[in-house]
């Protein structure tokens, strides 16, 4: 048997046929065109999944479940999307709609939770007692896996680490309307903001060469690369970023204390350079100075995490 995994993004719909161990058998993809009525998007999700299935020698009889990762919040009980801001979906009956085309059980969860689940099923956090997955991208996504199951909270709105308050007084304004959310300090966007603010005051840095003097062109990789090259200003910017990220990780430790913490998304491409920097900071922040804390790992699945994790949602 196989499952259908669907990664519904603001830009693309990615689908895959995935075996019961989390291996992709076939894939398909098409643009989301998010401004359309939701039923047109859902029809394309189903068509794309059927297109992936047609690339295999299997039929719908070989498919057990459909799993969907969405950039928002879902109600696992009703199969409705509670909201997806960048798609403009509110209380959308996603399960019922897709079952018009493929009549199989449907499981829906948040995309970061799904990606974290994929790492648990297939790769870096496989077989762990508990793991927390944090994506350091344009924003911050997070997923909590406890005893082999994704944890999204009672109302489906848990595991939203990105909007936990990190700086409650005079914090940076967040897209969600609150001030000082963690993603304003720990995302790739935050690292770029820190770099811009610093270089506006002092541009004697190789970051200034890398962006050819145009601060709007700065990306997270330029800052990381310059810090690796020991550029004094870049080291300072990266250190400030790592300070915030370590405080975010401390929050996870103090509330959940998972076995492992997995970092994904753009900034995680810094790899061991980032992990080593975080591991230098964490011990000084711990409540019990000599206590063990979660191993910090880098995600391995990249772009396929969404479809794999979605496909595995109905595993239980
Ligand atoms: Zn926020």
């Amino acid at each position: 048997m196989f499952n259908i995994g669907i990664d519904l993004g603001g830009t693309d719909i990615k689908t895959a046929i995935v075996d019961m161990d989390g291996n992709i058998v076939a894939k398909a993809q098409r643009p989301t065109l998010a401004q359309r009525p939701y039923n047109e998007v859902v029809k394309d999700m189903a068509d794309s999944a059927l297109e992936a299935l047609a690339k295999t020698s299997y039929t719908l009889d070989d498919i057990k479940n459909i799993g969907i990762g969405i950039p928002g919040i879902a109600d696992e009980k009703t199969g409705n999307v509670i909201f997806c801001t960048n798609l403009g979906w509110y209380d959308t009956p996603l399960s019922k709609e897709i079952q018009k085309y493929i009549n199989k059980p449907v499981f829906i969860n948040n995309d970061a939770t799904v990606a974290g689940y994929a790492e648990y099923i297939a790769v870096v956090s496989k077989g762990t007692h508990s793991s927390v997955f944090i994506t350091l991208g344009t924003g911050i996504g997070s997923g909590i896996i406890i005893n082999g199951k994704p944890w999204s909270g009672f109302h489906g709105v848990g595991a939203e680490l990105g909007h936990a308050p990190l700086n409650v007084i005079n914090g940076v304004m967040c897209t969600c309307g609150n001030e000082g959310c963690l993603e304003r300090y720990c995302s790739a966007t935050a690292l770029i903001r820190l770099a811009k603010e610093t270089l506006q005051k002092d541009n004697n840095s190789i970051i200034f060469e890398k962006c050819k003097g145009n601060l709007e062109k700065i990306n997270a990789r330029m800052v990381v690369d310059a810090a690796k090259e020991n550029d004094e200003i870049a080291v300072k910017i990266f250190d400030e970023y790592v300070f915030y990220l370590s405080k975010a990780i401390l929050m996870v430790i103090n509330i959940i204390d998972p076995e492992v913490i997995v970092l994904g998304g753009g900034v995680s491409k810094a790899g061991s350079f980032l992990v080593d920097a975080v591991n230098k900071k964490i011990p000084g922040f711990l409540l019990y100075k000599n206590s063990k804390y979660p191993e910090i790992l880098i995600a391995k699945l990249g772009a396929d995490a969404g479809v794999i994790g979605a496909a595995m949602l109905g595993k239980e």
Side-chain angles (χ1 to χ4, degrees):
M1 294 298 281
F2 299 87
N3 292 318
I4 289 170
I6 303 176
D7 179 2
L8 174 62
T11 311
D12 289 307
I13 297 164
K14 294 177 190 158
T15 61
I17 308 303
V18 180
D19 74 15
M20 293 298 169
D21 295 319
N23 302 303
I24 293 178
V25 181
K27 288 199 265 192
Q29 183 170 342
R30 55 184 71 189
T32 309
L33 309 173
Q35 289 77 16
R36 298 183 286 172
Y38 81 89
N39 47 348
E40 290 180 23
V41 176
V42 178
K43 183 172 190 304
D44 261 348
M45 289 164 70
D47 286 349
S48 176
L50 293 172
E51 182 190 330
L53 183 63
K55 293 177 185 172
T56 71
S57 54
Y58 310 111
T59 68
L60 277 175
D61 289 339
D62 301 300
I63 298 296
K64 193 164 173 236
N65 300 317
I66 304 169
I68 307 171
I70 58 156
I73 306 292
D75 183 337
E76 286 176 74
K77 293 163 205 92
T78 61
N80 288 6
V81 171
I82 300 169
F83 67 85
C84 245
T85 32
N86 55 1
L87 296 176
W89 290 12
Y90 296 93
D91 214 20
T92 304
L94 177 54
S95 289
K96 284 201 188 78
E97 190 66 26
I98 202 160
Q99 281 172 329
K100 287 182 185 169
Y101 309 101
I102 306 173
N103 193 16
K104 300 283 176 181
V106 179
F107 298 85
I108 309 174
N109 213 317
N110 171 264
D111 52 7
T113 299
V114 158
Y117 192 45
E119 295 286 348
Y120 166 79
I121 292 288
V123 218
V124 66
S125 51
K126 190 172 182 172
T128 52
H129 162 276
S130 45
S131 61
V132 173
F133 178 74
I134 308 171
T135 55
L136 312 170
T138 309
I140 295 270
S142 57
I144 301 171
I145 314 297
I146 296 174
N147 293 327
K149 288 184 184 168
W151 173 262
S152 308
F154 184 75
H155 306 93
V157 294
E160 285 291 340
L161 185 65
H163 299 282
L166 191 66
N167 183 0
V168 290
I169 297 165
N170 299 323
V172 178
M173 204 59 204
C174 184
T175 51
C176 75
N178 284 322
E179 271 178 38
C181 290
L182 198 147
E183 78 170 27
R184 294 301 106 205
Y185 298 88
C186 300
S187 57
T189 311
L191 180 59
I192 293 164
R193 175 181 58 79
L194 288 173
K196 274 189 203 165
E197 286 172 0
T198 309
L199 266 74
Q200 270 161 6
K201 288 179 222 142
D202 181 0
N203 62 21
N204 184 22
S205 160
I206 54 175
I207 299 172
F208 197 68
E209 292 162 28
K210 287 180 193 288
C211 72
K212 301 195 167 67
N214 182 353
L215 300 190
E216 295 307 313
K217 290 249 157 73
I218 294 174
N219 60 40
R221 194 188 171 148
M222 288 174 190
V223 183
V224 171
D225 285 350
K228 281 182 180 170
E229 289 171 50
N230 248 326
D231 175 80
E232 198 180 326
I233 286 178
V235 167
K236 229 177 103 195
I237 295 164
F238 187 70
D239 188 64
E240 184 176 350
Y241 172 81
V242 168
F243 171 82
Y244 291 126
L245 179 60
S246 302
K247 288 286 185 186
I249 289 173
L250 179 73
M251 199 184 290
V252 171
I253 295 171
N254 284 349
I255 299 172
I256 300 173
D257 180 29
E259 184 176 344
V260 297
I261 292 173
V262 182
L263 302 178
V267 184
S268 77
K269 294 200 177 100
S272 59
F273 186 68
L274 177 67
V275 172
D276 291 349
V278 167
N279 276 327
K280 272 194 192 126
K281 289 245 188 310
I282 299 274
F285 297 156
L286 292 174
L287 183 56
Y288 304 105
K289 297 302 169 202
N290 298 320
S291 65
K292 287 185 182 164
Y293 66 93
E295 189 179 359
I296 316 280
L297 302 168
I298 297 290
K300 289 200 175 138
L301 282 176
D304 286 337
V307 285
I308 295 172
M312 304 316 280
L313 281 175
K315 197 170 184 284
E316 294 306 314

